[in-house]
Amino acid sequence: VRRGRNTPDVLIACNFTPIVRYNYRVGVNDGGFWREVLNTDAQEYGGSGQGNMGGVNAMPVPMHGRLHSVNLTLPPLGAVILRHEPKRD
């Protein structure tokens, strides 16, 4: 997870194996929606289309020293990038 001063957090997850990793839980800083902004396995890039259907909701399940986590599908030999979408008042 990369965190900027005035920008939403970004999560980068890579899978360097030829096997899809389903239910791969990763700790994140905040709850809410994490939009998938890049999936290197998308069909548009000639991939198989394995991914997170546009994004995932973080759950209050602690992981990796963080209070929330997301449950991801990691495409084979690929990477996904997700951006946190903070709640607006």
Side-chain angles (χ1 to χ4, degrees), residues 3-38:
R3 179 169 255 186
R5 288 186 185 160
N6 298 315
T7 60
D9 288 2
V10 175
L11 168 65
I12 303 165
C14 302
N15 178 10
F16 297 114
T17 72
I19 300 166
V20 179
R21 300 295 179 188
Y22 298 102
N23 301 311
Y24 194 89
R25 189 164 292 278
V26 178
V28 293
N29 297 318
D30 298 302
F33 190 70
W34 289 75
R35 182 168 308 282
E36 188 174 73
V37 295
L38 177 68

PDB file of all heavy atoms in Angstrom, residues 3-38:
ATOM      1  N   ARG A   3       0.879   5.421   0.244  1.00  0.00           N
ATOM      2  CA  ARG A   3       0.051   6.484   0.815  1.00  0.00           C
ATOM      3  C   ARG A   3       0.673   7.834   0.504  1.00  0.00           C
ATOM      4  O   ARG A   3       1.852   8.047   0.738  1.00  0.00           O
ATOM      5  CB  ARG A   3      -0.041   6.276   2.324  1.00  0.00           C
ATOM      6  CG  ARG A   3      -0.849   7.309   3.050  1.00  0.00           C
ATOM      7  CD  ARG A   3      -1.113   6.879   4.457  1.00  0.00           C
ATOM      8  NE  ARG A   3      -2.512   6.459   4.484  1.00  0.00           N
ATOM      9  CZ  ARG A   3      -3.159   6.118   5.554  1.00  0.00           C
ATOM     10  NH1 ARG A   3      -2.561   6.081   6.708  1.00  0.00           N
ATOM     11  NH2 ARG A   3      -4.425   5.775   5.487  1.00  0.00           N
ATOM     12  N   GLY A   4      -0.133   8.752  -0.056  1.00  0.00           N
ATOM     13  CA  GLY A   4       0.324  10.104  -0.338  1.00  0.00           C
ATOM     14  C   GLY A   4      -0.296  11.092   0.626  1.00  0.00           C
ATOM     15  O   GLY A   4      -1.229  10.769   1.349  1.00  0.00           O
ATOM     16  N   ARG A   5       0.206  12.306   0.633  1.00  0.00           N
ATOM     17  CA  ARG A   5      -0.317  13.319   1.546  1.00  0.00           C
ATOM     18  C   ARG A   5      -1.736  13.746   1.184  1.00  0.00           C
ATOM     19  O   ARG A   5      -2.586  13.866   2.044  1.00  0.00           O
ATOM     20  CB  ARG A   5       0.589  14.537   1.544  1.00  0.00           C
ATOM     21  CG  ARG A   5       1.879  14.284   2.244  1.00  0.00           C
ATOM     22  CD  ARG A   5       2.683  15.540   2.355  1.00  0.00           C
ATOM     23  NE  ARG A   5       3.978  15.203   2.948  1.00  0.00           N
ATOM     24  CZ  ARG A   5       5.037  15.933   2.861  1.00  0.00           C
ATOM     25  NH1 ARG A   5       4.987  17.080   2.210  1.00  0.00           N
ATOM     26  NH2 ARG A   5       6.158  15.556   3.415  1.00  0.00           N
ATOM     27  N   ASN A   6      -1.970  14.023  -0.080  1.00  0.00           N
ATOM     28  CA  ASN A   6      -3.272  14.528  -0.514  1.00  0.00           C
ATOM     29  C   ASN A   6      -3.912  13.655  -1.584  1.00  0.00           C
ATOM     30  O   ASN A   6      -4.682  14.145  -2.397  1.00  0.00           O
ATOM     31  CB  ASN A   6      -3.125  15.961  -1.026  1.00  0.00           C
ATOM     32  CG  ASN A   6      -2.635  16.903   0.057  1.00  0.00           C
ATOM     33  OD1 ASN A   6      -3.129  16.858   1.177  1.00  0.00           O
ATOM     34  ND2 ASN A   6      -1.651  17.718  -0.254  1.00  0.00           N
ATOM     35  N   THR A   7      -3.560  12.386  -1.602  1.00  0.00           N
ATOM     36  CA  THR A   7      -4.090  11.469  -2.603  1.00  0.00           C
ATOM     37  C   THR A   7      -4.606  10.207  -1.915  1.00  0.00           C
ATOM     38  O   THR A   7      -4.151   9.862  -0.825  1.00  0.00           O
ATOM     39  CB  THR A   7      -3.008  11.070  -3.630  1.00  0.00           C
ATOM     40  OG1 THR A   7      -1.930  10.426  -2.944  1.00  0.00           O
ATOM     41  CG2 THR A   7      -2.480  12.293  -4.364  1.00  0.00           C
ATOM     42  N   PRO A   8      -5.535   9.512  -2.547  1.00  0.00           N
ATOM     43  CA  PRO A   8      -6.022   8.260  -1.966  1.00  0.00           C
ATOM     44  C   PRO A   8      -4.920   7.197  -1.923  1.00  0.00           C
ATOM     45  O   PRO A   8      -3.990   7.221  -2.731  1.00  0.00           O
ATOM     46  CB  PRO A   8      -7.137   7.825  -2.920  1.00  0.00           C
ATOM     47  CG  PRO A   8      -7.484   9.023  -3.723  1.00  0.00           C
ATOM     48  CD  PRO A   8      -6.252   9.867  -3.765  1.00  0.00           C
ATOM     49  N   ASP A   9      -5.032   6.269  -0.980  1.00  0.00           N
ATOM     50  CA  ASP A   9      -4.106   5.147  -0.912  1.00  0.00           C
ATOM     51  C   ASP A   9      -4.223   4.292  -2.168  1.00  0.00           C
ATOM     52  O   ASP A   9      -5.300   4.188  -2.769  1.00  0.00           O
ATOM     53  CB  ASP A   9      -4.406   4.259   0.296  1.00  0.00           C
ATOM     54  CG  ASP A   9      -4.032   4.902   1.614  1.00  0.00           C
ATOM     55  OD1 ASP A   9      -3.566   6.055   1.612  1.00  0.00           O
ATOM     56  OD2 ASP A   9      -4.225   4.250   2.651  1.00  0.00           O
ATOM     57  N   VAL A  10      -3.126   3.648  -2.543  1.00  0.00           N
ATOM     58  CA  VAL A  10      -3.093   2.746  -3.692  1.00  0.00           C
ATOM     59  C   VAL A  10      -2.506   1.415  -3.233  1.00  0.00           C
ATOM     60  O   VAL A  10      -1.501   1.380  -2.525  1.00  0.00           O
ATOM     61  CB  VAL A  10      -2.233   3.338  -4.833  1.00  0.00           C
ATOM     62  CG1 VAL A  10      -2.091   2.349  -5.971  1.00  0.00           C
ATOM     63  CG2 VAL A  10      -2.833   4.634  -5.334  1.00  0.00           C
ATOM     64  N   LEU A  11      -3.155   0.332  -3.610  1.00  0.00           N
ATOM     65  CA  LEU A  11      -2.688  -1.022  -3.294  1.00  0.00           C
ATOM     66  C   LEU A  11      -2.216  -1.683  -4.573  1.00  0.00           C
ATOM     67  O   LEU A  11      -2.939  -1.688  -5.576  1.00  0.00           O
ATOM     68  CB  LEU A  11      -3.828  -1.838  -2.676  1.00  0.00           C
ATOM     69  CG  LEU A  11      -3.615  -3.345  -2.533  1.00  0.00           C
ATOM     70  CD1 LEU A  11      -2.486  -3.632  -1.551  1.00  0.00           C
ATOM     71  CD2 LEU A  11      -4.889  -4.023  -2.094  1.00  0.00           C
ATOM     72  N   ILE A  12      -1.016  -2.228  -4.546  1.00  0.00           N
ATOM     73  CA  ILE A  12      -0.459  -2.954  -5.690  1.00  0.00           C
ATOM     74  C   ILE A  12      -0.219  -4.384  -5.243  1.00  0.00           C
ATOM     75  O   ILE A  12       0.482  -4.618  -4.256  1.00  0.00           O
ATOM     76  CB  ILE A  12       0.857  -2.322  -6.161  1.00  0.00           C
ATOM     77  CG1 ILE A  12       0.630  -0.855  -6.523  1.00  0.00           C
ATOM     78  CG2 ILE A  12       1.432  -3.100  -7.341  1.00  0.00           C
ATOM     79  CD1 ILE A  12       1.889  -0.049  -6.653  1.00  0.00           C
ATOM     80  N   ALA A  13      -0.828  -5.340  -5.945  1.00  0.00           N
ATOM     81  CA  ALA A  13      -0.659  -6.751  -5.605  1.00  0.00           C
ATOM     82  C   ALA A  13      -0.259  -7.522  -6.862  1.00  0.00           C
ATOM     83  O   ALA A  13      -0.906  -7.406  -7.902  1.00  0.00           O
ATOM     84  CB  ALA A  13      -1.948  -7.325  -5.029  1.00  0.00           C
ATOM     85  N   CYS A  14       0.826  -8.293  -6.742  1.00  0.00           N
ATOM     86  CA  CYS A  14       1.357  -9.056  -7.883  1.00  0.00           C
ATOM     87  C   CYS A  14       1.302 -10.546  -7.588  1.00  0.00           C
ATOM     88  O   CYS A  14       1.474 -10.970  -6.448  1.00  0.00           O
ATOM     89  CB  CYS A  14       2.803  -8.662  -8.156  1.00  0.00           C
ATOM     90  SG  CYS A  14       3.040  -6.917  -8.496  1.00  0.00           S
ATOM     91  N   ASN A  15       1.096 -11.325  -8.637  1.00  0.00           N
ATOM     92  CA  ASN A  15       1.109 -12.780  -8.549  1.00  0.00           C
ATOM     93  C   ASN A  15       2.071 -13.280  -9.620  1.00  0.00           C
ATOM     94  O   ASN A  15       1.768 -13.214 -10.809  1.00  0.00           O
ATOM     95  CB  ASN A  15      -0.295 -13.348  -8.767  1.00  0.00           C
ATOM     96  CG  ASN A  15      -0.331 -14.858  -8.730  1.00  0.00           C
ATOM     97  OD1 ASN A  15       0.649 -15.514  -8.368  1.00  0.00           O
ATOM     98  ND2 ASN A  15      -1.451 -15.428  -9.117  1.00  0.00           N
ATOM     99  N   PHE A  16       3.204 -13.772  -9.195  1.00  0.00           N
ATOM    100  CA  PHE A  16       4.223 -14.229 -10.138  1.00  0.00           C
ATOM    101  C   PHE A  16       4.166 -15.727 -10.400  1.00  0.00           C
ATOM    102  O   PHE A  16       5.142 -16.316 -10.859  1.00  0.00           O
ATOM    103  CB  PHE A  16       5.611 -13.823  -9.635  1.00  0.00           C
ATOM    104  CG  PHE A  16       5.789 -12.339  -9.541  1.00  0.00           C
ATOM    105  CD1 PHE A  16       5.953 -11.726  -8.318  1.00  0.00           C
ATOM    106  CD2 PHE A  16       5.765 -11.548 -10.683  1.00  0.00           C
ATOM    107  CE1 PHE A  16       6.119 -10.349  -8.226  1.00  0.00           C
ATOM    108  CE2 PHE A  16       5.922 -10.172 -10.604  1.00  0.00           C
ATOM    109  CZ  PHE A  16       6.095  -9.576  -9.373  1.00  0.00           C
ATOM    110  N   THR A  17       3.009 -16.339 -10.116  1.00  0.00           N
ATOM    111  CA  THR A  17       2.824 -17.764 -10.399  1.00  0.00           C
ATOM    112  C   THR A  17       1.807 -17.914 -11.530  1.00  0.00           C
ATOM    113  O   THR A  17       1.015 -17.011 -11.780  1.00  0.00           O
ATOM    114  CB  THR A  17       2.304 -18.530  -9.161  1.00  0.00           C
ATOM    115  OG1 THR A  17       0.937 -18.183  -8.928  1.00  0.00           O
ATOM    116  CG2 THR A  17       3.145 -18.227  -7.933  1.00  0.00           C
ATOM    117  N   PRO A  18       1.791 -19.062 -12.206  1.00  0.00           N
ATOM    118  CA  PRO A  18       0.825 -19.259 -13.297  1.00  0.00           C
ATOM    119  C   PRO A  18      -0.556 -19.707 -12.812  1.00  0.00           C
ATOM    120  O   PRO A  18      -1.382 -20.141 -13.605  1.00  0.00           O
ATOM    121  CB  PRO A  18       1.492 -20.337 -14.144  1.00  0.00           C
ATOM    122  CG  PRO A  18       2.307 -21.119 -13.184  1.00  0.00           C
ATOM    123  CD  PRO A  18       2.789 -20.128 -12.158  1.00  0.00           C
ATOM    124  N   ILE A  19      -0.815 -19.608 -11.509  1.00  0.00           N
ATOM    125  CA  ILE A  19      -2.063 -20.077 -10.911  1.00  0.00           C
ATOM    126  C   ILE A  19      -2.849 -18.881 -10.378  1.00  0.00           C
ATOM    127  O   ILE A  19      -2.290 -18.024  -9.692  1.00  0.00           O
ATOM    128  CB  ILE A  19      -1.770 -21.063  -9.760  1.00  0.00           C
ATOM    129  CG1 ILE A  19      -0.987 -22.264 -10.292  1.00  0.00           C
ATOM    130  CG2 ILE A  19      -3.047 -21.499  -9.059  1.00  0.00           C
ATOM    131  CD1 ILE A  19      -0.370 -23.112  -9.209  1.00  0.00           C
ATOM    132  N   VAL A  20      -4.152 -18.810 -10.664  1.00  0.00           N
ATOM    133  CA  VAL A  20      -4.997 -17.760 -10.099  1.00  0.00           C
ATOM    134  C   VAL A  20      -5.055 -17.944  -8.581  1.00  0.00           C
ATOM    135  O   VAL A  20      -5.218 -19.061  -8.089  1.00  0.00           O
ATOM    136  CB  VAL A  20      -6.427 -17.827 -10.677  1.00  0.00           C
ATOM    137  CG1 VAL A  20      -7.307 -16.749 -10.065  1.00  0.00           C
ATOM    138  CG2 VAL A  20      -6.411 -17.704 -12.186  1.00  0.00           C
ATOM    139  N   ARG A  21      -4.903 -16.857  -7.857  1.00  0.00           N
ATOM    140  CA  ARG A  21      -5.011 -16.900  -6.393  1.00  0.00           C
ATOM    141  C   ARG A  21      -6.338 -16.262  -5.990  1.00  0.00           C
ATOM    142  O   ARG A  21      -6.505 -15.058  -6.056  1.00  0.00           O
ATOM    143  CB  ARG A  21      -3.848 -16.154  -5.730  1.00  0.00           C
ATOM    144  CG  ARG A  21      -2.498 -16.713  -6.063  1.00  0.00           C
ATOM    145  CD  ARG A  21      -2.331 -18.111  -5.531  1.00  0.00           C
ATOM    146  NE  ARG A  21      -1.000 -18.613  -5.897  1.00  0.00           N
ATOM    147  CZ  ARG A  21      -0.614 -19.832  -5.715  1.00  0.00           C
ATOM    148  NH1 ARG A  21      -1.427 -20.716  -5.182  1.00  0.00           N
ATOM    149  NH2 ARG A  21       0.584 -20.215  -6.077  1.00  0.00           N
ATOM    150  N   TYR A  22      -7.288 -17.102  -5.604  1.00  0.00           N
ATOM    151  CA  TYR A  22      -8.588 -16.631  -5.149  1.00  0.00           C
ATOM    152  C   TYR A  22      -8.532 -16.391  -3.641  1.00  0.00           C
ATOM    153  O   TYR A  22      -7.762 -17.041  -2.932  1.00  0.00           O
ATOM    154  CB  TYR A  22      -9.680 -17.665  -5.448  1.00  0.00           C
ATOM    155  CG  TYR A  22      -9.861 -17.947  -6.920  1.00  0.00           C
ATOM    156  CD1 TYR A  22      -9.330 -19.088  -7.500  1.00  0.00           C
ATOM    157  CD2 TYR A  22     -10.562 -17.053  -7.733  1.00  0.00           C
ATOM    158  CE1 TYR A  22      -9.491 -19.351  -8.857  1.00  0.00           C
ATOM    159  CE2 TYR A  22     -10.733 -17.301  -9.085  1.00  0.00           C
ATOM    160  CZ  TYR A  22     -10.188 -18.453  -9.639  1.00  0.00           C
ATOM    161  OH  TYR A  22     -10.355 -18.697 -10.980  1.00  0.00           O
ATOM    162  N   ASN A  23      -9.371 -15.479  -3.155  1.00  0.00           N
ATOM    163  CA  ASN A  23      -9.481 -15.215  -1.709  1.00  0.00           C
ATOM    164  C   ASN A  23      -8.142 -14.876  -1.075  1.00  0.00           C
ATOM    165  O   ASN A  23      -7.824 -15.351   0.012  1.00  0.00           O
ATOM    166  CB  ASN A  23     -10.137 -16.397  -0.999  1.00  0.00           C
ATOM    167  CG  ASN A  23     -11.514 -16.685  -1.542  1.00  0.00           C
ATOM    168  OD1 ASN A  23     -12.324 -15.774  -1.674  1.00  0.00           O
ATOM    169  ND2 ASN A  23     -11.776 -17.924  -1.892  1.00  0.00           N
ATOM    170  N   TYR A  24      -7.377 -14.040  -1.739  1.00  0.00           N
ATOM    171  CA  TYR A  24      -6.073 -13.611  -1.220  1.00  0.00           C
ATOM    172  C   TYR A  24      -6.299 -12.340  -0.408  1.00  0.00           C
ATOM    173  O   TYR A  24      -6.600 -11.287  -0.944  1.00  0.00           O
ATOM    174  CB  TYR A  24      -5.108 -13.357  -2.387  1.00  0.00           C
ATOM    175  CG  TYR A  24      -3.676 -13.244  -1.966  1.00  0.00           C
ATOM    176  CD1 TYR A  24      -2.871 -14.375  -1.893  1.00  0.00           C
ATOM    177  CD2 TYR A  24      -3.123 -12.010  -1.635  1.00  0.00           C
ATOM    178  CE1 TYR A  24      -1.547 -14.272  -1.503  1.00  0.00           C
ATOM    179  CE2 TYR A  24      -1.808 -11.910  -1.251  1.00  0.00           C
ATOM    180  CZ  TYR A  24      -1.026 -13.041  -1.173  1.00  0.00           C
ATOM    181  OH  TYR A  24       0.295 -12.945  -0.793  1.00  0.00           O
ATOM    182  N   ARG A  25      -6.168 -12.462   0.903  1.00  0.00           N
ATOM    183  CA  ARG A  25      -6.487 -11.347   1.804  1.00  0.00           C
ATOM    184  C   ARG A  25      -5.241 -10.491   2.044  1.00  0.00           C
ATOM    185  O   ARG A  25      -4.173 -11.001   2.345  1.00  0.00           O
ATOM    186  CB  ARG A  25      -7.035 -11.873   3.123  1.00  0.00           C
ATOM    187  CG  ARG A  25      -7.591 -10.751   3.993  1.00  0.00           C
ATOM    188  CD  ARG A  25      -8.479 -11.279   5.099  1.00  0.00           C
ATOM    189  NE  ARG A  25      -9.712 -11.860   4.618  1.00  0.00           N
ATOM    190  CZ  ARG A  25     -10.796 -11.164   4.288  1.00  0.00           C
ATOM    191  NH1 ARG A  25     -10.777  -9.851   4.341  1.00  0.00           N
ATOM    192  NH2 ARG A  25     -11.889 -11.769   3.890  1.00  0.00           N
ATOM    193  N   VAL A  26      -5.445  -9.167   1.916  1.00  0.00           N
ATOM    194  CA  VAL A  26      -4.363  -8.198   2.091  1.00  0.00           C
ATOM    195  C   VAL A  26      -4.848  -7.094   3.029  1.00  0.00           C
ATOM    196  O   VAL A  26      -5.954  -6.568   2.866  1.00  0.00           O
ATOM    197  CB  VAL A  26      -3.959  -7.571   0.734  1.00  0.00           C
ATOM    198  CG1 VAL A  26      -2.876  -6.529   0.916  1.00  0.00           C
ATOM    199  CG2 VAL A  26      -3.506  -8.645  -0.239  1.00  0.00           C
ATOM    200  N   GLY A  27      -4.020  -6.728   4.008  1.00  0.00           N
ATOM    201  CA  GLY A  27      -4.368  -5.659   4.933  1.00  0.00           C
ATOM    202  C   GLY A  27      -4.299  -4.296   4.274  1.00  0.00           C
ATOM    203  O   GLY A  27      -3.414  -4.026   3.463  1.00  0.00           O
ATOM    204  N   VAL A  28      -5.266  -3.424   4.623  1.00  0.00           N
ATOM    205  CA  VAL A  28      -5.302  -2.053   4.110  1.00  0.00           C
ATOM    206  C   VAL A  28      -5.568  -1.089   5.271  1.00  0.00           C
ATOM    207  O   VAL A  28      -6.040  -1.494   6.331  1.00  0.00           O
ATOM    208  CB  VAL A  28      -6.361  -1.869   3.004  1.00  0.00           C
ATOM    209  CG1 VAL A  28      -5.984  -2.660   1.759  1.00  0.00           C
ATOM    210  CG2 VAL A  28      -7.746  -2.255   3.473  1.00  0.00           C
ATOM    211  N   ASN A  29      -5.265   0.173   5.030  1.00  0.00           N
ATOM    212  CA  ASN A  29      -5.381   1.178   6.087  1.00  0.00           C
ATOM    213  C   ASN A  29      -6.814   1.555   6.423  1.00  0.00           C
ATOM    214  O   ASN A  29      -7.116   1.885   7.563  1.00  0.00           O
ATOM    215  CB  ASN A  29      -4.619   2.441   5.684  1.00  0.00           C
ATOM    216  CG  ASN A  29      -3.136   2.182   5.527  1.00  0.00           C
ATOM    217  OD1 ASN A  29      -2.553   1.480   6.328  1.00  0.00           O
ATOM    218  ND2 ASN A  29      -2.552   2.734   4.487  1.00  0.00           N
ATOM    219  N   ASP A  30      -7.690   1.557   5.429  1.00  0.00           N
ATOM    220  CA  ASP A  30      -9.040   2.073   5.631  1.00  0.00           C
ATOM    221  C   ASP A  30     -10.098   1.155   5.046  1.00  0.00           C
ATOM    222  O   ASP A  30      -9.852   0.454   4.069  1.00  0.00           O
ATOM    223  CB  ASP A  30      -9.181   3.442   4.960  1.00  0.00           C
ATOM    224  CG  ASP A  30      -8.237   4.464   5.566  1.00  0.00           C
ATOM    225  OD1 ASP A  30      -8.329   4.692   6.779  1.00  0.00           O
ATOM    226  OD2 ASP A  30      -7.416   5.019   4.817  1.00  0.00           O
ATOM    227  N   GLY A  31     -11.298   1.214   5.627  1.00  0.00           N
ATOM    228  CA  GLY A  31     -12.441   0.510   5.078  1.00  0.00           C
ATOM    229  C   GLY A  31     -12.970   1.251   3.868  1.00  0.00           C
ATOM    230  O   GLY A  31     -12.421   2.268   3.448  1.00  0.00           O
ATOM    231  N   GLY A  32     -14.037   0.737   3.304  1.00  0.00           N
ATOM    232  CA  GLY A  32     -14.636   1.369   2.142  1.00  0.00           C
ATOM    233  C   GLY A  32     -14.309   0.620   0.862  1.00  0.00           C
ATOM    234  O   GLY A  32     -13.828  -0.513   0.886  1.00  0.00           O
ATOM    235  N   PHE A  33     -14.569   1.290  -0.261  1.00  0.00           N
ATOM    236  CA  PHE A  33     -14.409   0.661  -1.569  1.00  0.00           C
ATOM    237  C   PHE A  33     -13.013   0.892  -2.127  1.00  0.00           C
ATOM    238  O   PHE A  33     -12.479   2.002  -2.057  1.00  0.00           O
ATOM    239  CB  PHE A  33     -15.453   1.213  -2.545  1.00  0.00           C
ATOM    240  CG  PHE A  33     -15.518   0.462  -3.847  1.00  0.00           C
ATOM    241  CD1 PHE A  33     -16.017  -0.824  -3.892  1.00  0.00           C
ATOM    242  CD2 PHE A  33     -15.071   1.049  -5.013  1.00  0.00           C
ATOM    243  CE1 PHE A  33     -16.082  -1.526  -5.086  1.00  0.00           C
ATOM    244  CE2 PHE A  33     -15.137   0.364  -6.216  1.00  0.00           C
ATOM    245  CZ  PHE A  33     -15.650  -0.929  -6.248  1.00  0.00           C
ATOM    246  N   TRP A  34     -12.436  -0.154  -2.697  1.00  0.00           N
ATOM    247  CA  TRP A  34     -11.135  -0.098  -3.371  1.00  0.00           C
ATOM    248  C   TRP A  34     -11.378  -0.447  -4.832  1.00  0.00           C
ATOM    249  O   TRP A  34     -11.684  -1.585  -5.170  1.00  0.00           O
ATOM    250  CB  TRP A  34     -10.157  -1.077  -2.726  1.00  0.00           C
ATOM    251  CG  TRP A  34      -9.718  -0.629  -1.365  1.00  0.00           C
ATOM    252  CD1 TRP A  34     -10.443  -0.677  -0.209  1.00  0.00           C
ATOM    253  CD2 TRP A  34      -8.479  -0.036  -1.034  1.00  0.00           C
ATOM    254  NE1 TRP A  34      -9.721  -0.155   0.821  1.00  0.00           N
ATOM    255  CE2 TRP A  34      -8.500   0.245   0.347  1.00  0.00           C
ATOM    256  CE3 TRP A  34      -7.333   0.286  -1.771  1.00  0.00           C
ATOM    257  CZ2 TRP A  34      -7.430   0.841   1.010  1.00  0.00           C
ATOM    258  CZ3 TRP A  34      -6.264   0.863  -1.110  1.00  0.00           C
ATOM    259  CH2 TRP A  34      -6.323   1.142   0.258  1.00  0.00           C
ATOM    260  N   ARG A  35     -11.282   0.553  -5.702  1.00  0.00           N
ATOM    261  CA  ARG A  35     -11.549   0.396  -7.136  1.00  0.00           C
ATOM    262  C   ARG A  35     -10.330  -0.175  -7.851  1.00  0.00           C
ATOM    263  O   ARG A  35      -9.210   0.307  -7.683  1.00  0.00           O
ATOM    264  CB  ARG A  35     -11.932   1.727  -7.774  1.00  0.00           C
ATOM    265  CG  ARG A  35     -12.256   1.583  -9.266  1.00  0.00           C
ATOM    266  CD  ARG A  35     -12.911   2.797  -9.838  1.00  0.00           C
ATOM    267  NE  ARG A  35     -14.069   3.256  -9.083  1.00  0.00           N
ATOM    268  CZ  ARG A  35     -15.276   2.711  -9.139  1.00  0.00           C
ATOM    269  NH1 ARG A  35     -15.500   1.659  -9.894  1.00  0.00           N
ATOM    270  NH2 ARG A  35     -16.272   3.217  -8.425  1.00  0.00           N
ATOM    271  N   GLU A  36     -10.558  -1.213  -8.658  1.00  0.00           N
ATOM    272  CA  GLU A  36      -9.484  -1.798  -9.465  1.00  0.00           C
ATOM    273  C   GLU A  36      -9.239  -0.875 -10.666  1.00  0.00           C
ATOM    274  O   GLU A  36     -10.071  -0.783 -11.563  1.00  0.00           O
ATOM    275  CB  GLU A  36      -9.884  -3.199  -9.926  1.00  0.00           C
ATOM    276  CG  GLU A  36      -8.766  -3.956 -10.593  1.00  0.00           C
ATOM    277  CD  GLU A  36      -9.184  -5.388 -10.892  1.00  0.00           C
ATOM    278  OE1 GLU A  36      -9.986  -5.595 -11.818  1.00  0.00           O
ATOM    279  OE2 GLU A  36      -8.717  -6.278 -10.175  1.00  0.00           O
ATOM    280  N   VAL A  37      -8.105  -0.187 -10.669  1.00  0.00           N
ATOM    281  CA  VAL A  37      -7.810   0.769 -11.740  1.00  0.00           C
ATOM    282  C   VAL A  37      -6.913   0.169 -12.816  1.00  0.00           C
ATOM    283  O   VAL A  37      -6.830   0.714 -13.917  1.00  0.00           O
ATOM    284  CB  VAL A  37      -7.198   2.076 -11.191  1.00  0.00           C
ATOM    285  CG1 VAL A  37      -8.206   2.809 -10.330  1.00  0.00           C
ATOM    286  CG2 VAL A  37      -5.919   1.820 -10.432  1.00  0.00           C
ATOM    287  N   LEU A  38      -6.238  -0.939 -12.502  1.00  0.00           N
ATOM    288  CA  LEU A  38      -5.436  -1.644 -13.510  1.00  0.00           C
ATOM    289  C   LEU A  38      -5.399  -3.121 -13.176  1.00  0.00           C
ATOM    290  O   LEU A  38      -5.190  -3.501 -12.022  1.00  0.00           O
ATOM    291  CB  LEU A  38      -4.002  -1.114 -13.572  1.00  0.00           C
ATOM    292  CG  LEU A  38      -3.080  -1.849 -14.543  1.00  0.00           C
ATOM    293  CD1 LEU A  38      -3.504  -1.604 -15.990  1.00  0.00           C
ATOM    294  CD2 LEU A  38      -1.640  -1.440 -14.348  1.00  0.00           C
TER     295      LEU A  38
END
